[in-house]
Amino acid sequence: MKICCYNDGAPGLIEDGSIYPLRDALASAGAARAGATMAEVVDALANHPSAAAALATARKGKAIALASAKLLAPVDNPPAIWAAAANYRSHQAEMTERVGAYDRSKFPPDDLMAEVFLKPTSSIIGPGGTVILPKISRHVDFECELCAVIGRSARKVSAENALDHVYGYTMCWDISIRDPWGKGRHNTRNIRKGFDTFCGLGPWIVTRDEIREPQDLHITVEQNGKNVMQAHTQDMINGLRDLIRFLSSVTTLKPGTLLTTGTPAGVSKLADGDHLKGTISSIGTMELKVGAER
């Protein structure tokens, strides 16, 4: 099942190339309030006993063609956006070469996960959005990542039970400036990765039942039509289960929380006018434009 946010911010169910409106169906079933945010919609679909009835009602409603809709970020107000850092060996190596990043190769798993950082919700853009390159930086990279959407609150859960708390998956573009604060400096990620437009999300949420194993997905990225990233999620240092285990030992992961899992190697510098196209197998394809700050 695919869940989206479209047009005026309405939640929708995607099936067979059509979008079925969910807002009224969820409200009439008592699963969510009429003006529910997408985080609340995820909570309702994951946890409310009448969610199945609401979906059945939605399927009887009037659909619109997916091709005619404007897709928005599938969660626009998450309780938090947690982002894994340096979670692929190949990316660690390329960042050491590109910006002189320090050696993390001998870090124990939890020491590496302690570098997880937060991205602000104000940085979110959706499919087809434009990444704005800030004037202060001469080097902005894209990063393309598998992102989990939490469905059931998670606090001190084991790795073995971690996926029970995932509602579904989407794609995250973690846009990052590398200068002026990216080399030889610490504790700057929230700023370097927190500019407006620096968190692309989409194109929709694919529910957990449709993805057998999150560590068995392919990631590809084209920049201006040229393939620049070919990767596989099995190459993560810390898989999603351990990321949820670690984070939930520190803080409660509430429904709608996003956990993005780090980028593989293949990140590239962005320029005004660039076009990005990313695909994650079993999830879908999302495109972004790039423009300079005026």
Side-chain angles (χ1 to χ4, degrees):
M1 184 169 68
K2 295 181 177 69
I3 302 298
C4 70
C5 182
Y6 69 103
N7 290 358
D8 64 348
L13 167 66
I14 300 175
E15 288 187 344
D16 300 323
S18 297
I19 300 178
Y20 294 86
L22 277 173
R23 181 178 282 155
D24 290 346
L26 288 169
S28 62
R33 62 187 180 89
T37 65
M38 286 303 296
E40 291 172 319
V41 168
V42 167
D43 189 2
L45 292 172
N47 302 302
H48 201 282
S50 65
L55 289 168
T57 298
R59 290 184 174 99
K60 297 175 184 176
K62 184 177 181 181
I64 68 167
L66 173 60
S68 69
K70 177 177 175 55
L71 292 178
L72 308 176
V75 183
D76 60 356
N77 64 325
I81 307 170
W82 290 101
N87 199 29
Y88 288 77
R89 297 290 182 204
S90 57
H91 180 58
Q92 287 184 358
E94 77 175 349
M95 293 314 294
T96 298
E97 180 179 342
R98 296 180 87 220
V99 297
Y102 58 88
D103 182 15
R104 301 176 176 86
S105 61
K106 301 297 192 294
F107 278 18
D110 282 15
D111 285 6
L112 181 61
M113 285 189 283
E115 294 200 24
V116 169
F117 59 95
L118 286 162
K119 290 178 73 75
T121 59
S122 55
S123 65
I124 292 175
I125 56 174
T130 300
V131 175
I132 302 300
L133 305 176
K135 292 179 180 178
I136 196 170
S137 179
R138 294 167 297 175
H139 185 169
V140 181
D141 282 345
F142 79 82
E143 301 181 4
C144 188
E145 311 179 4
L146 172 68
C147 181
V149 183
I150 297 297
R152 292 174 48 214
S153 288
R155 176 67 171 137
K156 296 185 177 179
V157 302
S158 66
E160 291 74 17
N161 296 326
L163 296 189
D164 294 342
H165 297 265
V166 172
Y167 177 69
Y169 303 95
T170 190
M171 183 189 306
C172 177
W173 297 87
D174 177 20
I175 309 301
S176 311
I177 72 168
R178 306 301 185 194
D179 73 328
W181 307 298
K183 188 173 183 178
R185 301 286 295 272
H186 298 285
N187 302 319
T188 63
R189 282 197 186 98
N190 291 350
I191 296 298
R192 293 190 295 106
K193 295 167 173 279
F195 282 76
D196 286 356
T197 75
F198 272 26
C199 184
L201 294 174
W204 40 62
I205 300 168
V206 176
T207 51
R208 178 167 56 93
D209 59 293
E210 293 199 4
I211 294 180
R212 181 187 61 82
E213 175 51 67
Q215 306 307 144
D216 188 23
L217 301 175
H218 294 276
I219 301 174
T220 61
V221 176
E222 294 179 8
Q223 183 177 15
N224 304 324
K226 177 184 177 182
N227 187 282
V228 292
M229 180 182 287
Q230 286 273 12
H232 197 280
T233 58
Q234 70 180 359
D235 295 330
M236 289 181 197
I237 299 169
N238 292 307
L240 178 59
R241 293 170 178 84
D242 270 318
L243 288 167
I244 293 172
R245 187 264 308 164
F246 176 82
L247 272 173
S248 72
S249 75
V250 176
T251 185
T252 300
L253 303 177
K254 298 179 179 179
T257 296
L258 303 177
L259 175 50
T260 190
T261 54
T263 188
V267 304
S268 293
K269 185 176 179 180
L270 297 174
D272 185 20
D274 276 358
H275 179 268
L276 294 171
K277 180 180 180 181
T279 301
I280 301 181
S281 58
S282 300
I283 294 178
T285 297
M286 178 177 167
E287 301 182 39
L288 291 174
K289 296 171 283 189
V290 180
E293 182 180 15
R294 306 301 181 192

